[in-house]
């Protein structure tokens, strides 16, 4: 029984990350940036922990392959919309980030609808993009929580995230077109 519980642990941690997302957003909406930042850190650590457990103990599952990117997308989309709404990030960047994720999800749904399902596997460009997007969100959240702004560094980080987001979207679009060819 304990081994079955342990085998489910990565997925349970991922579900916990999904549950933390509304808490982070609620704190941000209430301008309680300190708690929002701390919960965001817990969510980030949980992302690393579930991946490490799954790989180290060979606990990868089909459910986890879907839940993990879903939890990442829920957190990233929510936090970018929150930070843009609060004036902490430029709206164009939030639109770009949300659009990339909508493109990916839309492509998966169209392929599924046309009976050409896509195997859910994150590309390396997506992993790098997700890490950069989360890094920028954490940096901006920390700035809001602790009252500092490093505008030049923030602008550089925003430009990097924008470039990575567009590159990743392009890679996924190209892979999708290749997959959908007759």
């Amino acid at each position: 029984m304990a081994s079955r519980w342990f085998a489910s642990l990565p997925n349970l941690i991922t579900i916990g990350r999904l549950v933390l997302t509304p808490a982070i957003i609620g704190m941000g909406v209430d301008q309680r940036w300190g708690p929002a930042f701390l919960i965001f850190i817990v969510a980030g650590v949980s992302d690393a922990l579930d991946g490490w457990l799954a790989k180290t103990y060979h606990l990868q599952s089909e459910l986890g392959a879907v839940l993990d990117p879903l939890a990442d997308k829920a957190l990233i989309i929510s936090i970018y919309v929150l930070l843009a709404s609060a004036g902490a990030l430029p709206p164009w960047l939030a639109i770009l980030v949300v659009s990339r994720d909508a493109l990916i999800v839309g492509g998966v749904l169209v392929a599924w609808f046309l009976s050409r399902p896509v195997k859910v596997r994150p590309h390396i460009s997506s992993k790098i993009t997700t890490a950069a997007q989360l890094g920028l969100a954490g940096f901006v959240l920390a700035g809001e929580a602790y009252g500092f702004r490093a505008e030049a560094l923030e602008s550089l980080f925003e430009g990097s995230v924008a470039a990575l987001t567009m590159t990743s979207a392009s890679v996924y679009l190209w892979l999708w077109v290749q997959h959908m060819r007759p």
Side-chain angles (χ1 to χ4, degrees):
M1 177 107 116
S3 64
R4 204 161 33 182
W5 177 86
F6 185 73
S8 299
L9 190 55
N11 292 340
L12 293 172
I13 292 169
T14 301
I15 292 167
R17 189 164 74 256
L18 272 168
V19 170
L20 289 177
T21 296
I24 296 165
I25 302 311
M27 294 293 173
V29 167
D30 290 342
Q31 305 272 314
R32 297 178 58 207
W33 298 110
F37 174 66
L38 294 176
I39 298 169
F40 181 82
I41 294 299
V42 169
V45 169
S46 79
D47 189 19
L49 179 61
D50 68 21
W52 178 81
L53 284 170
K55 286 181 184 132
T56 302
Y57 295 101
H58 308 288
L59 302 174
Q60 294 100 331
S61 69
E62 197 172 325
L63 177 62
V66 173
L67 276 182
D68 190 64
L70 178 67
D72 288 344
K73 289 186 183 330
L75 178 60
I76 289 170
I77 288 170
S78 299
I79 201 74
Y80 272 75
V81 169
L82 170 72
L83 292 172
S85 297
L89 276 177
W92 65 265
L93 185 58
I95 291 166
L96 181 64
V97 167
V98 171
S99 296
R100 171 198 170 259
D101 285 346
L103 174 82
I104 292 169
V105 172
V108 169
L109 291 174
V110 166
W112 177 76
F113 181 74
L114 296 175
S115 299
R116 308 229 15 222
V118 176
K119 188 160 182 123
V120 178
R121 284 184 309 228
H123 189 270
I124 187 68
S125 68
S126 182
K127 291 181 178 207
I128 293 167
T129 300
T130 298
Q133 289 172 343
L134 289 171
L136 174 59
F139 183 75
V140 172
L141 268 175
E144 293 295 319
Y146 301 108
F148 71 86
R149 293 302 285 245
E151 291 182 24
L153 183 57
E154 202 171 299
S155 292
L156 178 65
F157 212 168
E158 289 169 2
S160 299
V161 165
L164 286 167
T165 300
M166 289 186 296
T167 300
S168 176
S170 299
V171 166
Y172 275 111
L173 183 59
W174 184 81
L175 291 171
W176 184 81
V177 167
Q178 299 304 311
H179 176 78
M180 296 304 289
R181 275 191 190 170

